[in-house]
Amino acid sequence: MPIHFNDLDVVSEVAGLSSALIVPCKMCPAVTVAVREKKPFIQLFRNFLKSAPYEQYLEALQSRLRENGVNTKVFKNIPFHQWFMCMWSSEKRKKLQKCAEQYDAVIVLGCESATETLRELVKSVDCKVIEGMEVTGIMNAELRFHLTGTVTFENCKTVPIFQQKKKEDG
C-alpha cells in the first residue's frame, strides 16, 4: 500500500528565496491527499491519469508560495510508469537536473527515497532541497474500482512504521 504523509511547512523554508521548483511524486502523496480530502484518487473519464485532489493541492501550494514572493513551477512527470520518483529513468532525472538549475530551491513531495533522488541530482547545482512532506506510516486500505471509472481508497488506516524506531530506542 502507499506511504502516508503529513505536510511540512515549506513556506518558512523558502523564506528569502525567490524561486522554487516543486517536484511531486505522483503516487503516495497523491493517495494521501485524496484520502485526507475524502475524494476519489482518480476519475479516469474526467482527468484520465491525474489525481484531481492532488492537482488542486499543488495549485494551492503554488498559490501560498506566490503570496510569499516565491515564483514556482511544478515539474511534470506525465508518463504513468514514472509516477514513482524513486524509479524515474535516467533521462527523466537529467531533465529534472537541468530544470532545477534555474531555481533557488526544489521542494520534494515524496518519501525519503524521493528526497535522496533529488539531493543526488542537485548536488552539483546551487539549489536548496526542501522536504514538503514527512512519512507517518503505511496506508492500509481497500482499493476500489468503480464502473464510473473512479478509483478510490476506502477503509483507510495508517500503520506507523515502528521497526526503525524500535532499533533506535533499543
Side-chain angles (χ1 to χ4, degrees), residues 20-26 50 54-55 58 61-62 72-79 82-83 85 88-103 105-109 117-118 121-122:
L21 179 65
I22 301 169
V23 184
C25 190
K26 293 287 191 169
K50 287 186 179 182
Y54 194 44
E55 294 299 319
L58 293 171
L61 176 58
Q62 282 187 283
T72 64
K73 177 184 174 185
V74 176
F75 184 77
K76 301 291 182 185
N77 49 337
I78 306 293
Q82 294 193 20
W83 278 6
M85 188 185 312
W88 280 359
S89 66
S90 60
E91 191 172 304
K92 176 63 84 174
R93 291 172 189 233
K94 287 176 188 172
K95 183 178 177 185
L96 171 59
Q97 184 179 34
K98 186 165 180 60
C99 191
E101 292 173 357
Q102 304 168 34
Y103 294 88
V106 290
I107 299 170
V108 59
L109 300 177
T117 298
L118 255 73
L121 291 175
V122 302

Side-chain angles (χ1 to χ4, degrees), residues 7-23:
D7 297 337
L8 295 174
D9 178 19
V10 296
V11 173
S12 65
E13 290 289 323
V14 297
L17 302 177
S18 62
S19 64
L21 179 65
I22 301 169
V23 184

Side-chain angles (χ1 to χ4, degrees), residues 50-162:
K50 287 186 179 182
S51 176
Y54 194 44
E55 294 299 319
Q56 292 167 356
Y57 172 87
L58 293 171
E59 290 171 10
L61 176 58
Q62 282 187 283
S63 180
R64 280 197 323 274
L65 293 168
R66 194 172 26 252
E67 288 171 5
N68 286 276
V70 180
N71 182 33
T72 64
K73 177 184 174 185
V74 176
F75 184 77
K76 301 291 182 185
N77 49 337
I78 306 293
F80 69 91
H81 67 281
Q82 294 193 20
W83 278 6
F84 295 92
M85 188 185 312
C86 57
M87 295 188 289
W88 280 359
S89 66
S90 60
E91 191 172 304
K92 176 63 84 174
R93 291 172 189 233
K94 287 176 188 172
K95 183 178 177 185
L96 171 59
Q97 184 179 34
K98 186 165 180 60
C99 191
E101 292 173 357
Q102 304 168 34
Y103 294 88
D104 298 328
V106 290
I107 299 170
V108 59
L109 300 177
C111 65
E112 282 84 354
S113 182
T115 302
E116 182 61 23
T117 298
L118 255 73
R119 280 198 178 102
E120 284 295 313
L121 291 175
V122 302
K123 67 182 176 185
S124 63
V125 179
D126 187 23
C127 190
K128 180 178 180 180
V129 176
I130 299 169
E131 292 181 84
M133 296 180 153
E134 67 181 348
V135 173
T136 60
I138 298 172
M139 273 192 241
N140 182 320
E142 296 172 19
L143 179 65
R144 296 269 167 98
F145 296 94
H146 304 272
L147 292 176
T148 59
T150 300
V151 179
T152 60
F153 289 85
E154 299 174 10
N155 300 318
C156 296
K157 296 176 187 167
T158 301
V159 179
I161 303 172
F162 287 118

